[in-house]
């Protein structure tokens, strides 16, 4: 990338934006340094890119003027299959932990307290139905 060169508003390709966002989010440089290094004229341009293309939440750092210009409902970028798999694996891990916890509670109730906990079949009520007279 060329340095010391002021760009016009329209010549930022998506690959350039993603590269700048990647460098800032990796911690290679702060967004203001990236702005100076690559000759980005707008004061909040890099912040807007971070909000739009980045993986972190940068909205608290945005100036109020930029926040007002942003659309109310932004369309979320759908997660990649790898991200979705990771998310589902975390949910499964949490569900397994909950199941183990509830099993251990049932075991404690049965062994220490002598309480019998029976799982009811679906459709069966715990109340006895009285025959009508």
């Amino acid at each position: 990338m060329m340095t010391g060169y002021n760009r016009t508003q329209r010549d930022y390709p998506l690959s350039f934006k993603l590269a700048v966002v990647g460098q800032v989010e990796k911690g290679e440089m702060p967004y203001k340094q990236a702005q100076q290094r690559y000759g980005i004229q707008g004061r909040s341009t890099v912040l807007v890119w971070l909000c739009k293309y980045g993986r972190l939440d940068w909205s608290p750092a945005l100036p109020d003027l930029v926040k007002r210009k942003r659309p109310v409902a932004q369309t979320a970028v759908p997660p990649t299959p790898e991200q979705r798999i990771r998310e589902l694996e975390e949910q499964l891990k949490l569900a397994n932990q909950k199941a183990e916890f509830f099993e251990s509670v049932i075991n404690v109730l049965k062994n220490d307290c002598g309480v019998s906990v029976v799982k009811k079949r679906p459709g069966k009520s715990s109340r006895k139905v009285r025959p009508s007279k």
Side-chain angles (χ1 to χ4, degrees):
M1 310 259 164
M2 298 178 66
T3 58
Y5 161 97
N6 284 339
R7 300 176 176 274
T8 63
Q9 184 178 2
R10 297 182 194 177
D11 68 351
Y12 297 115
L14 181 60
S15 59
F16 174 76
K17 294 176 187 178
L18 294 176
V20 171
V21 167
Q23 287 181 339
V24 172
E25 286 193 337
K26 287 179 188 173
E28 294 176 12
M29 67 180 79
Y31 79 93
K32 288 186 178 185
Q33 184 181 352
Q35 172 188 336
Q36 291 172 350
R37 180 175 180 185
Y38 296 116
I40 300 167
Q41 292 177 341
R43 289 188 309 211
S44 60
T45 303
V46 177
L47 277 176
V48 171
W49 293 349
L50 288 165
C51 290
K52 194 171 184 181
Y53 304 113
R55 295 184 178 163
L56 304 175
D57 182 21
W58 292 89
S59 55
L62 279 175
D64 290 334
L65 180 63
V66 175
K67 288 181 186 177
R68 280 184 252 135
K69 290 181 182 178
R70 295 174 70 211
V72 176
Q74 285 187 338
T75 57
V77 177
T80 64
E82 292 82 12
Q83 291 171 334
R84 183 67 178 142
I85 288 170
R86 199 174 319 123
E87 179 183 318
L88 291 172
E89 286 174 343
E90 288 294 321
Q91 290 176 3
L92 178 61
K93 183 179 175 183
L94 182 61
N96 287 336
Q97 288 174 346
K98 286 181 182 179
E100 288 177 18
F101 171 76
F102 290 127
E103 289 293 325
S104 64
V105 168
I106 289 173
N107 288 336
V108 167
L109 286 172
K110 184 169 48 172
N111 297 334
D112 296 346
C113 302
V115 176
S116 176
V117 179
V118 179
K119 184 176 177 182
K120 295 182 178 79
R121 293 185 296 179
K124 297 287 183 180
S125 174
S126 62
R127 289 188 272 156
K128 293 183 180 179
V129 179
R130 296 183 184 182
S132 58
K133 293 183 183 178

